[in-house]
Amino acid sequence: MDDIDAMFSDLLGEMDLLTQSLGVDSLPPEAPPTSQKETPPMNFSAGFTDLNAETLHELEDNDLDALMADLVADLSATEQKMAAEREGVKTPHSVPPLAPAALPTPQLQSDLSQPSPSSSSTTSSSSHSSSISPPPPPQSTKPSKEEIEAQIKADKIKLALEKLKEAKVKKLVVKVEMTDGSSKTLMVDERQEVRDVLDNLFEKTHCDCNVNWCLYETNPELQTERGFEDHENLVEPLSAWTRDSENKVLFQEREDKYEVFKNPQNFYLWKKDKKSLMDTKEKDKELLLEENFCGTSIIVPDLEGVLHLKEDGKKSWKPRFFLLRASGMYYVPKGKTKTSRDLVCLVQFDNVNVYYGKEYKQKYKAPTDFCFILKHPQIQKESQYIKYLCCEDAWTLTLWVTGIRIAKYGKLLYDNYKTAQKKASGSSIWTNRNISSQPTPSATPKAKAANGHAPQPPAESLPKVQGNQAQLPPPPPSLLNDSLPPPPPDPELPPPPPMPPMTGKSATMSSSGFPGNFPPPPMDDLPPPPPDDETELPPDFLPPPPPVMGGSGNFGATLPPPPPDPQYSARTSTTDSLPPPPPSPYAAGGVPPPPAPPPPPPPSAPAVRPTPSVKKSAPPPPKRTTPVQSAPSGGDFMSELMSAMQKKRSDQ
Amino acid sequence: MAVWDLSVTVEELGPDAPPLKISVTSDLHIGGAILKIVDKTQIKKDWSDHALWWEQKQQWLLKPAWTLDKCGIHADARLSFTPQHKPLRLGMPNGITLKLRACFSSSVFRTVMGICKLLNIRRPEELSLLRPVEEKKKKKDKDVEGEVYDITCAPLPSGTVLTLANGMPAYFADSPEMEAVYKLLSVSQPAPPPETIVKMYRPMNVVDKAQVNGRWLDSSRSLLQQGVKENDKLFLRFKYYSFHELSPRTDAVRLVQLYEQARWSILLEDIECTEEEMMLFAALQYHIGKVSLTEPQMVVSSPAMDDLDSALQCLEVKMEGGQNNTVDDTMTTAPELHDYLKLLRPKKLTLKPYKQYWFKFKETSISYYKSKEESTKEPIQEMNLRGCEVVPDVSVAGQKFCIRLLIPEAEGMNEVYLRCENEQQYSRWMAGCRLASKGKTLADSSYSSEVQNIQSFLAMQRTTPRTDTPQTDESINTHSLVSPRYQKKYKAKQLTPRILEAYQNVAQLSLSDGIQKFLQIWQALPDFGISYFVVRFKGCRKDEVLGIANNRLIRIDLSVSDVVKTWRYNTMRQWNVNWDIKQVAIEFNGNVNIAFSCVTADCKIVHEYIGGYIFMSTRNRDQGDTLNEELFHKLTGGHEAL
């Protein structure tokens, strides 16, 4: 416990240093680039909560949990008590009490949010290692301030350079909806592939990592959905979304994603009767894959058959005999045979993607609901440039969509599959390890962190945290987590407020003794309240506006809490649950000194775009626009902090 | 033991010389007989390549330890003492004819191995020899045949072949002529004049396509046994469409010859493709031809490096420049294009003329203003070309240089026409549009080559196509790049823009990438790799077609000319040939039995095809270049082999 106290004070000291030095040096250079690059400032509207969650996640990834924990502990000594009480109640109402805690959040958030951008690129990898060996903060060693300072300076130069480069990189805050309707928010930069993002989500959700997990894009306007391929960059397609888009990104298991590699016979020998295909031997499947995906050229399934095509700009659907070739999709014109030379090309795949169409029977009077469309990814609304096709049954639809993907992506698909398989097989080991490590108190928190969500209901988590860590087997990083309220704890960030005042507070903290109780890492768990807002969970949660007010007392001055933006209305309960404080955090960003440049979120956020996924599901109470800024400037501080921390640890 | 006279013809004694008579006994072994023959000729030379050929029995006497008796040779035998390696005229896939020494005494399989070794083609098992079509016309053809490149002076390769750094066998460096031949083999041939293509034989249907497969030589017997004479002409072709480990580094000749075979199969409609595919093939041919002319050098433009460069540049600016924007304008000014161009936005039912604006091309965006003077203000519109479709709409004759842009937007595609004044202007803007559509800027290193590509392509339109000239530097008749069907369908100037359109996607490929891309698209064609035979299934009265591919057999009903049944090899249990009634019987899993007799080819050829593909599938990666010849013969040989 003593250690923790000591560490905490160290941390606080570090942070002070960092904030001071960083703010000045690194920030300036970056700012210009961002503003220039990022074109018209796109505001990012991300849910407040989301941001918090996001930032917290990042922290975990970077082993900063300890820091967080300390801070939280500090702030929330009182809060915790309250929380504990609430939890006992286990009602959403508990939230209000938390609110006060939330107030401080603003600062934390602002700080945190900044780091995320910088860290984002590395997240996946770094998080990996960290999760495996949860490095409890080095408690014993307390590097002298001078040492730290020296290190920091050296790092700063590097960081500044990196930042400059990073400033060029477009980043998006992406809200990803889970199967249960809850959501997670991630920072994604344009260099990241969907695979990286999936890995990231695997860590956050502790799902089973099987190959079927994928990121899905939905477009309510067109009623389409499409699974992103693992090798695609996520930022690019999301950039095509319109500002007012209601599109979402979902994190789901989809059988059809790699079905062709699991049962190639169903695609390549589709003409044969189903029964005989049922008992295809593994050896024969391998042979098929070898023949079709491992040769000098990829072989596309020889699909052919009648599909209904919606004529350009007309309402009617006409049956035509279609054939799939590697070079595109063709149909047989009237009165001709299906010899190659007579075929008419409907579309080549270079510039279009294939999307499932949902309920087109109703929307477009399609003959069946098994439709797909081919369109340029940039097209977001109905247009004559979209090709609408309708299949007879679900299986035919799968055949064609898969066939077109093979024609378009070729061997990449197979490579993706193999990577996904490796990931899946590796993950089991990884998870096990994680779990095993949990027993130790410190480990526990980590595990949770990995989950990203406070495991289950916040209420539970709280008690654990506070009470005995030993007892607390980290909430199982089970699948449940996904459904669980995501990283609730973080967003809540009730604890953070102390941040700025940290030093001073630290003293108090230690005295309170809370810290002692707390396992440093458990951070996440601590702020039980967050869960609520995060997840759509219990809508019950009262929006704790009042707390805000209280918080405002502290922050109020700094924070001009951005009024909930209309955009956000989309976000529902989550936001609701969030007490107004969230906005404040940004405002907090405005806070003078170190923390963050974030305050002016819109400008700062260079790459910012409209949050990709707005949650519709949530009941739409208040919305907030959080301008997330991935602004590099903000990032500097945080990233420096993180790197300093890491360095410190590694040195030790 | 009785002594008797053996008569042996020795070519070296002259065509009219009477056969030599040597006295032998029946227990004399072949080696001894040869010794006696050589003595008797009294000619001093290297006889080591000579062997005895027994004309009546159509067989070589290659086992020196066997006695005459064991060979069944009696006094009535007429033997000839002849070299095992004789000159052969070999038609290569790229159309040139080589004269080289080939082995007439070993199995064709081995002969091909020898030829391939000589020519530096790896994986000889994939190739074989094809008899020419029997020519009814007389001597005329001899003239048409064109030059024969004589490389009979090359040593017979034995053991490992010494190769130079570029992979060329050392003996090709012996003389400039030899080196020229190697270049012919390893560099693709210029596009043929369109008439040549039209004149050549083209199969019109599956049955026609089946004919060629009746002409394959038997791999398990020797050339002489199959009636091939010295100086006869045969074709070397890739027979099994299963190409093991093509690698540009070691397979210069193999890749080029394969490409040529593929190209001719496209041009002669031996394999069918769609119009879109044909345009892409044409574009690739044009590109490959063009790159082959300039010394084949690998120009690798890696997008990653470009990005890095520009990133570094930016970094520098940022570091030095600080807040000052002026730096941007001076040091690293990104290249821009400015010009007055005419713009048209086609709309339904309205006929608006092109209207002139001042255009600015920066990064990946085009913006336009009312006039040059207003260019400091807000543009009327700015269009980001990333991901857009760029289609040329050009007619040199009509002096029309339009660029059609289909710019994707949320609501659909924004269609815009830009009209340029002249070729130069067009080339610059077009190149910019193309790069921008791929997300590259004018600063990209490929910009200038892109401009050149466009100009040279325009040049194709400018020169009136002269049909008799093959592809020279920049002029080419686009009719040379497509099959006669499309020559007929489109005029050259209609063809050019279409090929140009396809060309923009391949223009940056290196030579070997271009060739490989061509092969990939070829291999992805649905009908790729199927060898046809007209057969008659047991119990059926009509002719049907059997297609043999590397992984399956297909049965094609001639009346509907469509595949009615597919059998994959991995479900095959066994196959047998009844040599007496010339019938092939195959048994598949699940008690499926089929049997057929072959109409357009000997059943040995069909048998060899099936066995050959199964052999090809047994090759694997780590095996290297070693060839399991025994297994091949086991799988493809007739009853003699077993």
Side-chain angles (χ1 to χ4, degrees), chain A residues 28-29 32-34 36-37 160-162 164-165 168 236 240-242 269 271-272 281 283-285 287-288 290-292 294-300 302 304 324-328 330 338-345 348 350-352 376-385, chain B residues 204 243 245-246 272-277 307 310-312 314-315 318-319 322-325 328 348 386-389 404 406 408-415 485-486 489 505 516 519-528 550-551 561-563 565-568 570-571 589 621:
Chain A
T34 55
Q36 294 179 355
K37 297 227 158 161
L161 285 177
E162 270 167 32
L164 284 175
K165 274 187 214 158
K168 260 206 123 176
E236 201 179 334
W241 291 7
T242 55
L269 307 175
K271 285 177 188 163
K272 304 219 169 188
K281 293 177 202 137
K283 201 181 67 184
D284 293 335
K285 292 182 186 176
L287 185 68
L288 275 174
E290 171 89 23
E291 280 173 7
N292 295 296
C294 302
T296 37
S297 179
I298 295 299
I299 309 298
V300 173
D302 56 341
E304 57 178 40
L324 179 67
R325 297 170 73 105
S327 60
Y330 295 81
K338 60 174 190 179
T339 50
S340 303
R341 56 174 181 267
D342 292 334
L343 297 180
V344 176
C345 186
Q348 295 186 285
D350 304 322
N351 293 314
V352 301
H376 193 289
Q378 217 121 13
I379 300 179
Q380 297 291 313
K381 299 182 175 159
E382 276 185 47
S383 151
Q384 52 166 328
Y385 296 98
Chain B
M204 301 308 291
F243 312 114
E245 290 176 345
L246 286 169
E272 293 208 335
C273 63
T274 64
E275 195 169 314
E276 286 72 19
E277 286 155 357
D307 285 354
S310 57
L312 280 175
C314 269
L315 187 66
K318 302 268 158 55
M319 295 190 66
Q323 284 70 359
N324 202 337
N325 278 342
D328 260 344
K348 273 184 191 166
R386 237 192 134 102
C388 80
E389 284 179 43
R404 177 172 173 248
L406 268 179
E409 288 176 352
E411 288 79 21
M413 296 290 201
N414 182 10
E415 192 172 359
R485 182 189 311 282
Y486 295 99
K489 189 167 175 183
N505 291 324
Q516 295 202 73
L519 293 177
Q520 275 169 16
I521 303 173
W522 177 55
Q523 291 180 66
L525 293 175
D527 295 337
F528 164 80
N550 66 348
N551 57 357
S561 62
D562 199 4
V563 178
K565 187 79 189 153
T566 300
W567 302 279
R568 292 171 51 81
N570 62 333
T571 63
N589 287 341
R621 298 247 147 76

Side-chain angles (χ1 to χ4, degrees), chain A residues 22-42:
Chain A
L22 288 182
V24 187
D25 299 345
S26 55
L27 292 185
E30 295 184 3
T34 55
S35 55
Q36 294 179 355
K37 297 227 158 161
E38 293 316 281
T39 44
M42 317 225 356

